[in-house]
Amino acid sequence: MEALKQGADVLFILMGAVMVLAMHAGFAFLELGTVRRKNQVNALVKILVDFSVSTVVYFAVGYAVAYGTGFFIGAEQLAANNGYALVKFFFLLTFAAAIPAIISGGIAERAKFCPQLIATAVIVGLIYPFFEGIAWNGHFGVQAWIKSWAGVEFHDFAGSVVVHAVGGWIALGAVLLLGPRNNRYRRDGGIAATPPSSIPFLALGAWILTVGWFGFNVMSAQTLDKISGLVAVNSLMAMVGGTLTALVMGKNDPGFVHNGPLAGLVAVCAGSDLMHPLGALVVGGVAGALFVYMFTLTQNKWKIDDVLGVWPLHGLCGAWGGIAAGIFGSKMMGGLGGVHLGAQFVGTVMGVAWATAGGFVVYGVLKKTLGLRLSQEQEFDGADLSIHRISATPEREANW
């Protein structure tokens, strides 16, 4: 029976890892559909290569930073318990690799390729797992300190703060240091329109992410005996809430409509195992509204050229999710309890502060040394031709 349980747990978490791996295709197509056509190839290549760099670095360094254990031992030891330790690494790797995938959308269309790969290695090897270890493995006694005065630890079941807020706030530093795309904001105060290149591809990316998110959330239980249908239904309700508020506030704009469910899912991750489904609906609805409002504000008023709106979507909605878990996860709001609003606020602020500092340091050093931006001519030609020497539709453009 024990062998059967071990095998079932391995299969369970492996299915989760594969579902979250598929989400990276969602990141790729969401970016591909949002950027201009001359940058579509770059979007696809970045996500795949970033994931590959993340795998090597997280295997060699990042996982040990977060959990104090590595893989430089014999294969016989790694295969113990049906290789559960290996598939757990695979699952958590897909979370870690989401950080550069998030950042990629913010810096699209004008960032150099190699400096971003270096940033990916540092972020996935050190910046992200440092906070991951604090939140999910009790490093440095931070969770014990929070519990000593709040009675409970900071709770982030599936990464609203650990993954999404951290990724979004690192991205903010990268976006600000990189600066806006050329001619995006004109001297006369005008703003150049940059409509999505392909709504169907944007929608495809959003749908892939949405479906994969159920692996992201539900499989965060990590063993079959801890699986909860509450997590699945709360994820569903938050997705729906985010979609509907984004539809209304975004005035039926398809870009907002398809990012709405993602905002809701980002926000519900932290408390998806605790909330009542109606609470999850509210949390997702607030997140959808927050994304639309803040995306419009950052782009049009503050003139922050965050191409896919990753700071509002992941940074702000992730922070909202961390705090919301302390509200809607409480028994007073119909949840299961075991959370404290103060603990959630402190944990969220810590994650945001660490990510913001890390983003500015990593991208600041790269800007001073290697540079972050393509040249003006390269940006005009597009990252596809400048970096990869091929466009998304080379056959159409060939002269016969």
Side-chain angles (χ1 to χ4, degrees):
M1 291 298 294
E2 182 63 25
L4 181 62
K5 180 186 183 304
Q6 289 175 0
D9 287 342
V10 168
L11 180 60
F12 173 71
I13 199 170
L14 177 61
M15 289 174 61
V18 172
M19 289 181 73
V20 185
L21 173 63
M23 290 176 68
H24 289 265
F27 283 120
F29 279 98
L30 186 70
E31 184 174 334
L32 182 153
T34 304
V35 299
R36 290 170 288 183
R37 289 186 180 180
K38 61 184 179 180
N39 298 293
Q40 289 181 324
V41 173
N42 183 244
L44 295 172
V45 174
K46 270 194 305 178
I47 299 298
L48 179 57
V49 178
D50 272 340
F51 184 88
S52 300
V53 171
S54 298
T55 300
V56 174
V57 173
Y58 196 67
F59 184 87
V61 180
Y63 193 81
V65 171
Y67 298 101
T69 182
F71 300 103
F72 295 100
I73 55 177
E76 184 176 351
Q77 293 170 275
L78 294 175
N81 299 320
N82 300 92
Y84 179 81
L86 289 176
V87 291
K88 180 180 177 181
F89 154 78
F90 183 9
F91 180 68
L92 292 171
L93 158 69
T94 59
F95 281 49
I99 304 293
I102 290 167
I103 297 167
S104 175
I107 64 175
E109 300 203 345
R110 76 273 200 204
K112 288 183 177 180
F113 190 68
C114 289
Q116 172 55 20
L117 296 184
I118 295 171
T120 292
V122 176
I123 290 165
V124 175
L126 297 172
I127 305 298
Y128 166 74
F130 181 85
F131 186 71
E132 178 187 16
I134 289 174
W136 287 344
N137 201 40
H139 280 185
F140 308 111
V142 174
Q143 287 282 33
W145 169 73
I146 293 175
K147 187 175 181 179
S148 69
W149 60 265
V152 292
E153 296 180 347
F154 166 66
H155 183 84
D156 190 358
F157 179 70
S160 285
V161 177
V162 175
V163 179
H164 297 286
V166 166
W169 285 87
I170 291 175
L172 177 64
V175 168
L176 292 176
L177 288 168
L178 196 61
R181 289 166 286 180
N182 288 326
N183 300 318
R184 171 67 169 145
Y185 302 112
R186 298 194 296 266
R187 291 182 179 180
D188 62 2
I191 301 175
T194 55
S197 59
S198 173
I199 295 297
F201 276 137
L202 186 157
L204 175 63
W207 271 109
I208 294 172
L209 284 165
T210 298
V211 173
W213 223 297
F214 287 85
F216 195 99
N217 285 1
V218 175
M219 272 70 167
S220 285
Q222 297 189 17
T223 56
L224 194 59
D225 60 320
K226 294 179 182 177
I227 191 172
S228 172
L230 183 65
V231 176
V233 173
N234 281 343
S235 301
L236 175 68
M237 297 299 279
M239 167 206 149
V240 170
T243 303
L244 294 177
T245 55
L247 169 71
V248 174
M249 289 196 62
K251 301 177 181 178
N252 209 13
D253 181 289
F256 286 136
V257 169
H258 285 94
N259 276 281
L262 308 184
L265 286 162
V266 164
V268 81
C269 287
S272 57
D273 61 327
L274 301 176
M275 298 177 187
H276 187 280
L278 291 177
L281 181 67
V282 174
V283 170
V286 171
L290 180 64
F291 169 71
V292 174
Y293 178 77
M294 290 304 299
F295 180 88
T296 304
L297 185 66
T298 54
Q299 295 283 338
N300 299 336
K301 298 293 185 182
W302 296 351
K303 296 184 178 179
I304 298 174
D305 193 13
D306 179 353
V307 179
L308 267 68
V310 298
W311 178 61
L313 181 64
H314 296 276
L316 295 181
C317 291
W320 156 241
I323 295 169
I327 301 171
F328 293 94
S330 66
K331 290 187 177 181
M332 182 177 67
M333 299 298 289
L336 298 181
V339 285
H340 186 279
L341 181 57
Q344 294 305 113
F345 181 80
V346 169
T348 299
V349 170
M350 288 178 60
V352 166
W354 174 251
T356 304
F360 275 102
V361 169
V362 171
Y363 284 97
V365 170
L366 287 171
K367 183 176 181 178
K368 290 289 186 181
T369 54
L370 301 177
L372 294 176
R373 287 193 70 129
L374 297 172
S375 69
Q376 190 168 352
E377 181 180 357
Q378 288 174 323
E379 186 178 334
F380 178 81
D381 292 337
D384 293 357
L385 293 178
S386 299
I387 298 174
H388 310 288
R389 297 183 294 281
I390 192 169
S391 71
T393 55
E395 188 174 330
R396 292 186 192 174
E397 296 157 16
N399 294 318
W400 295 92

